[in-house]
Amino acid sequence: MLHPFRIRLLTSTLIGSAALIGIGEAHAQVAAPVATTAAAVPADETIIVTGTLFRRKDTETASPVTVVTQDDLNKRGIQTTQAGIQLLASINGPALTNSFSSNGAFASGASAASLRGLSSNSTLTLFDGLRATYYPLADDGSRNFVDLNTIPDEIVESFQVLKDGASSAYGADAIAGVINIITKKQVVGLLGSAEAGISERGDAANHRISLTYGHGDLGRDRYNFYISGHYVDSDALYNNQRGYPYNSSDQSRVCYNGVCGPNNISNGVTNGVYNGLSTAPDVLIVRPYDATNTVRLGRYQLLNPAAGCGQNSTPYTLSDADYAANTAAPRTVCQQDLVRDTGQIEPKLYRWGVSGRLTVEVGSDAEAFVEANYERSSSTSTGQFGRIRATGPAGIVFPAYTTAAGATILTLPIYVCPRGTVVACTAANGTLNPNNPFAAQGQVARLAGRLSNVKEQNSTLSETYRIETGIRGHFGDGWEYDLAGTANESLLRTTASGYVFIQHLLDVVNDGSFNFVSPQANSQATLDYLTPTQSLHSNSHLYQGQAILKKSFFHLPGGQVQVAVGAAVRYEDLYNPSGNPDYNGPTQRYFVLNAFGATGHRNTEAGFFEINAPVFKQLELNASGRYDTYSSGQSHFSPKFTAKFTPVKQIAFRGTYAQGFRIPSFAESGALPTTGYVTVQASQLPQAFLDQHQVIGPDGKSRNDAYLQGISIGETTVGTAGLRPEKSRSFTLGTILKPLRDVTFTVDYYNIKKTEAITSVNFQSAIDAYYASGALKTGPVTIIPGEVDVDHPTAQPLAAFAQGGFINANTIETSGLDFGLTATHRFSDRVRFTSQGEATWILKLNTSFPDGHTEHYVGTLGNFNLTAGSGTPEWKATWQNTLDVGVFSFTTTAYYTSGYNYSAEDQGSVAGDCSLVPTNRDNLAYQPCNVKSFIEVDMHAEINATPNATFYVDVLNVAGVKPPFDGTTYGAYLYNPVVGDQGILGRSFRAGARFKF
């Protein structure tokens, strides 16, 4: 980690060097025409398109490129560039959305794109063609990425999405494609906007305000300076603010073919039959055991009968039959709907930032600039009531007391002694435990439940500093140079409160200082001791400089042959200490707080070239290559070849071939133990195991007990040194059709193959071996059993964790078709219609393993582990239609995502076999085999009331379509957050104004 002074020194040195001698690739790109200024800006005849070093007059290159302007986002009613990127048809699979922050994402508070379903670490995000630093937290604890929330929205001119490999231009990680954020080169005058939105339910409020001022005209004054600021926020949204079934743990009214879902309310009843004793409610219960804690002497009972079930739970009295069938349960139990009481859909978000840029013409042949951005964003989400009984993260087994069967259950002792007592606590040196109602009888009390006055909460505060500088120009006989550099720092503070610290829990249990009988009576100091707030500081840095030299050398029949060569250097580091380490032993940690972290640093040096040859007017050929070498020992050469053939102006054929690579992430090569949780259906477990956890209801039927509901397993990976880079081969073949002057169709086939893909070791075979034989060690994987089933304390516990490392092993291949449409028709001088559409049809997304078997994911929930069960829908499409009538403009935008099957081959399924369909406690499916498709339509209307003022209104999700029910995806409750985010918000409204002077 660099000292702040060294950071400032390096930054200032980099800026000064670039201003004097130049450094850069992308700052020709920021010379793109500015669409939103308050005064006319001279149009530049050529632009830079992502993926090539040469300027050209159009974006219809041999490589498929999608360009989205700020005007497009405005007319779609999209507040941020981040949201616009996530809605692209080519973004699918393991994308990381802001809403996932409130559902247990490792990289909470951040957003990342996933092109082609190959995950965020195969998608390269650039700012004006230069790299940006990683978000300090890794997605799933393994994938480093650039946070899209750091985009300075108000100065974004457009963003370009290159949908093929681009390692030959940019180096590592550009396997699936590149997202390039293009900022404004010039602003003249005063621009601003203000808007506010809310759902039709009166919640999910959001606001945005911005102000930009620019002075000087490059064409006239030879300089331009602007400064911009913005603020955006959105309120938290909770499950209890939405309708059924998203607002309740009870799914018994969700039915299909006469079969209904389970009632998952804690201590609930399904079809008149009690589900079994639950330890989830925020009410504490105890059970008497003898002094050796081996012989149970009665049932569980409320620790404080006088207080009853408290304000959040409802008492329920078991029938005689249910009481007889459930030997651990008391006569009266407390029912609680945890989804209603604790579920959160969207986190509380706010973001603000400031940016400034100075561009100056230097002499008659050069242009220099410096741009600075500061972005600050915060995310806050709440969790469940404080848990005092759980299996800790990353393999911690609760150490308080252990039964003969190895089960771990928190127990209140008979006697308590002052903290620090080193000898056994007995009647001789202690006092009867005031929290143990059985102490006077010489019995211990096993304790379960949650703390009603403690709630888990997580928040992030991210600050990103970015400085770019460069100069470009001409010299000599047609030589061009581009020189640029960037310094980028990301600071992150994560705060977790309400989590029980294990050693402190043991302390207060053994000295009696915490009032478990009446938790509300504890002082704040006592609560703070039990649940100390954890504040963790992480950071990452990136410093980059590069120089490019270009020249046109000779003519071919189609034009001049262009040659570019360049060199680049880069330093990057990441420091993310674990927030829950076990350096001092397993009790020096928090319950259920994810333990992960990574550190590392490296230098990179690269040389690259590009040759563009217009062989004749109809044929353009291009070749490029780049060699990267890393201080960590890896190196790679990445070539690329493209061709575009235009036999007639109405049709063109294009194709590309590229090789690329992905460098092992800091998290993969240097991670501390990192645990990701995967949802498991009870139907996936062996019947012999299920039989150990069955209860016989009053109707005589055998059912899974409450222990087998909401099952998950933590898959823990440890960073592995010596990993090799992933390698890729990709190609595209496409056509551009222009049947009419203002109508363009594009169709492109893509195929990407990654070899030596980095993956965790095979957890599933070790998990299967554990359930089959109780084996805790299978090859490189270790299994950690979970907490005991209170109804069946001698039964085999669920597998809680599987732990192993990373390996270069798999081959991943994806292919599909991209479709594009752009059409414009003028009915008159005042009436114009514009239509823009894009769609992606995924034909293949497979992973092949060293043992020869292949998993197929398209149209299923796979790759389940990688996507949090959000799966690989086969189709995704967007269609935007705008009608301009004088000063009025009306836009309708439709978004479509196809359905998918309840199966995932990485979960032991066969694609299409419905094996992951949600089931009730009788293991009967209560959903059809396929999740439905999702269509959402948004509307935008605006009026240019004056030449300087525009007023607009948005209606989002016009039809109020709910997200399709998905009871298996675990990124959100009963819906897929990557697909149905706007659906869960419901119909929403937004109004605002833009002005310029």
Side-chain angles (χ1 to χ4, degrees):
M1 178 174 154
L2 294 179
H3 189 278
F5 173 75
R6 294 181 181 176
I7 294 172
R8 292 193 295 270
L9 179 61
L10 182 53
T11 302
S12 60
T13 302
L14 181 61
I15 295 170
S17 299
L20 291 174
I21 63 169
I23 300 183
E25 155 194 68
H27 302 290
Q29 296 182 14
V30 294
V34 179
T36 310
T37 60
V41 177
D44 194 330
E45 293 183 356
T46 60
I47 59 174
I48 280 286
V49 179
T50 301
T52 177
L53 305 179
F54 301 114
R55 300 170 66 79
R56 56 187 296 130
K57 293 184 178 182
D58 60 69
T59 59
E60 293 177 356
T61 63
S63 297
V65 178
T66 296
V67 179
V68 180
T69 67
Q70 188 62 55
D71 184 61
D72 292 329
L73 296 180
N74 289 339
K75 289 182 176 178
R76 295 179 189 181
I78 296 174
Q79 276 190 323
T80 64
T81 308
Q82 173 271 141
I85 291 172
Q86 296 287 17
L87 290 170
L88 291 171
S90 52
I91 301 293
N92 50 63
L96 178 64
T97 63
N98 284 332
S99 62
F100 199 14
S101 294
S102 61
N103 288 283
F106 279 88
S108 58
S111 175
S114 169
L115 285 166
R116 308 300 191 199
L118 293 180
S119 82
S120 54
N121 61 12
S122 292
T123 300
L124 181 62
T125 301
L126 305 173
F127 289 82
D128 294 325
L130 292 175
R131 287 177 175 260
T133 192
Y134 294 128
Y135 189 67
L137 304 183
D139 187 20
D140 271 354
S142 63
R143 296 186 293 277
N144 293 129
F145 62 91
V146 174
D147 180 16
L148 299 180
N149 287 325
T150 64
I151 298 172
D153 295 310
E154 299 309 318
I155 66 167
V156 172
E157 179 67 37
S158 65
F159 63 86
Q160 300 179 357
V161 182
L162 176 69
K163 296 182 289 186
D164 72 353
S167 289
S168 65
Y170 304 113
D173 309 332
I175 288 176
V178 176
I179 299 170
N180 190 14
I181 311 301
I182 311 294
T183 60
K184 294 175 182 177
K185 175 183 176 182
Q186 172 168 305
V187 174
V188 180
L190 182 66
L191 293 78
S193 67
E195 67 178 33
I198 199 166
S199 80
E200 68 175 347
R201 289 174 172 265
D203 51 30
N206 55 87
H207 311 85
R208 183 178 71 162
I209 188 169
S210 70
L211 193 65
T212 304
Y213 173 74
H215 181 71
D217 185 281
L218 281 171
R220 183 185 64 246
D221 304 319
R222 303 188 61 183
Y223 77 92
N224 178 261
F225 167 78
Y226 68 76
I227 187 169
S228 177
H230 69 94
Y231 173 86
V232 60
D233 70 18
S234 58
D235 284 351
L237 183 67
Y238 299 90
N239 288 84
N240 58 25
Q241 295 175 292
R242 285 297 167 266
Y244 188 81
Y246 311 104
N247 63 353
S248 176
S249 302
D250 182 4
Q251 300 176 38
S252 62
R253 288 184 283 145
V254 179
C255 305
Y256 177 72
N257 282 347
V259 179
C260 298
N263 176 8
N264 288 329
I265 290 177
S266 302
N267 288 314
V269 175
T270 302
N271 297 326
V273 179
Y274 176 58
N275 294 333
L277 184 63
S278 170
T279 61
D282 62 336
V283 178
L284 297 175
I285 56 176
V286 288
R287 189 178 196 180
Y289 270 71
D290 70 350
T292 66
N293 195 22
T294 57
V295 179
R296 55 181 180 268
L297 303 174
R299 293 171 175 262
Y300 277 98
Q301 66 183 49
L302 292 175
L303 178 57
N304 187 347
C309 289
Q311 59 180 357
N312 297 313
S313 302
T314 302
Y316 174 78
T317 301
L318 272 61
S319 67
D320 290 341
D322 278 332
Y323 187 68
N326 293 270
T327 58
R331 174 67 78 171
T332 298
V333 295
C334 297
Q335 297 181 334
Q336 184 170 20
D337 190 332
L338 286 172
V339 170
R340 178 199 65 198
D341 292 343
T342 67
Q344 186 168 358
I345 294 172
E346 299 277 355
K348 169 68 176 177
L349 296 171
Y350 82 80
R351 181 156 63 89
W352 64 269
V354 293
S355 298
R357 179 183 173 106
L358 171 65
T359 307
V360 179
E361 296 287 347
V362 181
S364 59
D365 296 317
E367 180 181 278
F369 80 96
V370 60
E371 179 178 303
N373 316 117
Y374 170 77
E375 290 291 322
R376 180 186 180 97
S377 61
S378 173
S379 169
T380 302
S381 57
T382 57
Q384 299 186 352
F385 295 102
R387 281 166 274 193
I388 61 168
R389 178 179 183 272
T391 302
I396 299 173
V397 176
F398 194 38
Y401 288 89
T402 303
T403 68
T408 53
I409 298 177
L410 178 65
T411 304
L412 299 173
I414 300 171
Y415 298 101
V416 291
C417 289
R419 194 172 304 165
T421 301
V422 295
V423 297
C425 189
T426 65
N429 61 346
T431 58
L432 285 176
N433 190 344
N435 290 305
N436 179 358
F438 317 118
Q441 287 78 44
Q443 301 166 1
V444 299
R446 292 191 175 181
L447 180 68
R450 302 182 190 229
L451 301 174
S452 61
N453 58 333
V454 173
K455 211 167 188 183
E456 297 159 359
Q457 179 172 294
N458 294 276
S459 63
T460 63
L461 178 62
S462 172
E463 296 180 281
T464 301
Y465 303 82
R466 182 183 301 109
I467 298 176
E468 301 177 14
T469 186
I471 185 170
R472 69 180 181 92
H474 305 263
F475 68 93
D477 184 19
W479 290 91
E480 299 178 56
Y481 62 90
D482 284 312
L483 309 116
T486 184
N488 197 180
E489 178 182 46
S490 178
L491 306 178
L492 179 68
R493 185 181 72 199
T494 57
T495 303
S497 60
Y499 291 88
V500 170
F501 193 76
I502 299 173
Q503 184 58 58
H504 291 188
L505 174 63
L506 300 181
D507 291 342
V508 299
V509 163
N510 292 323
D511 66 16
S513 60
F514 189 90
N515 189 338
F516 287 99
V517 177
S518 299
Q520 305 290 342
N522 289 287
S523 68
Q524 187 61 49
T526 301
L527 291 174
D528 291 344
Y529 182 78
L530 180 62
T531 61
T533 297
Q534 180 223 67
S535 186
L536 184 68
H537 295 266
S538 305
N539 60 71
S540 65
H541 302 89
L542 178 140
Y543 308 98
Q544 177 183 4
Q546 61 186 32
I548 302 171
L549 198 60
K550 297 181 282 187
K551 182 175 172 54
S552 298
F553 282 95
F554 56 90
H555 281 79
L556 291 175
Q560 290 185 317
V561 173
Q562 299 171 293
V563 178
V565 295
V569 294
R570 184 171 77 251
Y571 170 83
E572 53 193 344
D573 66 35
L574 183 142
Y575 174 72
N576 174 33
S578 174
N580 204 15
D582 60 353
Y583 306 135
N584 299 313
T587 66
Q588 304 298 311
R589 304 180 77 171
Y590 294 83
F591 273 138
V592 303
L593 188 62
N594 264 347
F596 69 99
T599 60
H601 63 88
R602 60 195 173 206
N603 295 300
T604 308
E605 298 173 351
F608 48 92
F609 72 90
E610 182 177 355
I611 302 172
N612 193 63
V615 179
F616 48 88
K617 187 176 181 181
Q618 292 81 15
L619 179 63
E620 180 181 355
L621 302 178
N622 186 285
S624 58
R626 178 178 176 123
Y627 181 78
D628 291 87
T629 179
Y630 286 78
S631 59
S632 49
Q634 301 97 335
S635 61
H636 194 270
F637 176 70
S638 306
K640 183 174 182 179
F641 305 93
T642 73
K644 181 181 177 184
F645 177 55
T646 310
V648 294
K649 65 180 181 180
Q650 289 84 10
I651 186 170
F653 301 98
R654 62 187 180 184
T656 69
Y657 174 85
Q659 294 180 5
F661 73 107
R662 183 180 75 79
I663 198 72
S665 70
F666 288 127
E668 289 165 334
S669 59
L672 302 170
T674 299
T675 303
Y677 293 87
V678 177
T679 298
V680 179
Q681 297 284 341
S683 58
Q684 295 174 257
L685 302 177
Q687 189 60 48
F689 176 82
L690 297 177
D691 290 343
Q692 300 178 58
H693 302 272
Q694 298 282 302
V695 293
I696 306 298
D699 56 359
K701 293 181 65 176
S702 177
R703 293 180 173 83
N704 298 335
D705 67 9
Y707 182 72
L708 297 179
Q709 303 304 311
I711 307 170
S712 66
I713 182 168
E715 297 186 346
T716 303
T717 49
V718 181
T720 306
L723 293 170
R724 298 181 300 277
E726 296 181 347
K727 299 177 182 178
S728 70
R729 180 274 300 146
S730 64
F731 66 87
T732 65
L733 293 170
T735 184
I736 304 170
L737 303 175
K738 295 185 177 181
L740 301 172
R741 183 183 64 179
D742 295 325
V743 177
T744 301
F745 294 99
T746 61
V747 181
D748 292 279
Y749 171 81
Y750 67 88
N751 185 289
I752 305 171
K753 186 175 184 179
K754 287 204 301 184
T755 56
E756 295 195 88
I758 298 171
T759 183
S760 58
V761 295
N762 189 339
F763 289 129
Q764 193 59 49
S765 62
I767 295 169
D768 293 342
Y770 166 76
Y771 284 118
S773 64
L776 298 180
K777 181 76 173 177
T778 303
V781 178
T782 299
I783 301 296
I784 307 295
E787 62 178 348
V788 71
D789 181 352
V790 294
D791 279 314
H792 303 91
T794 60
Q796 182 184 15
L798 286 161
F801 299 95
Q803 181 166 321
F806 292 100
I807 55 174
N808 290 92
N810 298 343
T811 297
I812 302 173
E813 185 173 4
T814 182
S815 63
L817 291 170
D818 289 327
F819 303 89
L821 164 69
T822 302
T824 301
H825 181 70
R826 284 192 175 273
F827 295 94
S828 68
D829 291 342
R830 300 184 70 253
V831 181
R832 182 182 65 176
F833 175 75
T834 303
S835 183
Q836 298 176 331
E838 64 162 3
T840 294
W841 178 18
I842 303 177
L843 301 174
K844 178 194 293 185
L845 180 57
N846 297 345
T847 299
S848 298
F849 297 84
D851 63 4
H853 86 280
T854 297
E855 295 175 352
H856 309 80
Y857 306 132
V858 175
T860 75
L861 286 167
N863 183 332
F864 193 83
N865 293 347
L866 187 63
T867 66
S870 59
T872 308
E874 192 173 0
W875 280 93
K876 187 176 179 182
T878 301
W879 190 17
Q880 174 182 331
N881 294 281
T882 300
L883 180 65
D884 294 300
V885 182
V887 297
F888 296 94
S889 178
F890 306 91
T891 300
T892 300
T893 308
Y895 302 94
Y896 170 78
T897 305
S898 62
Y900 45 88
N901 183 260
Y902 275 119
S903 59
E905 293 197 353
D906 60 321
Q907 298 299 298
S909 304
V910 174
D913 68 1
C914 304
S915 62
L916 298 184
V917 67
T919 57
N920 60 19
R921 285 187 165 83
D922 294 324
N923 285 333
L924 300 175
Y926 64 95
Q927 283 290 290
C929 283
N930 296 296
V931 177
K932 296 179 180 178
S933 60
F934 181 64
I935 301 177
E936 181 228 331
V937 178
D938 298 341
M939 296 184 67
H940 172 89
E942 65 180 49
I943 178 174
N944 296 318
T946 72
N948 296 323
T950 299
F951 298 93
Y952 59 89
V953 62
D954 298 312
V955 183
L956 307 177
N957 194 1
V958 174
V961 180
K962 292 182 179 180
F965 184 97
D966 183 339
T968 302
T969 294
Y970 62 95
Y973 181 67
L974 301 185
Y975 74 97
N976 188 331
V978 176
V979 173
D981 206 24
Q982 186 59 50
I984 199 67
L985 293 175
R987 186 181 294 110
S988 303
F989 306 93
R990 188 180 297 134
R994 297 187 296 271
F995 65 86
K996 55 183 179 180
F997 296 101

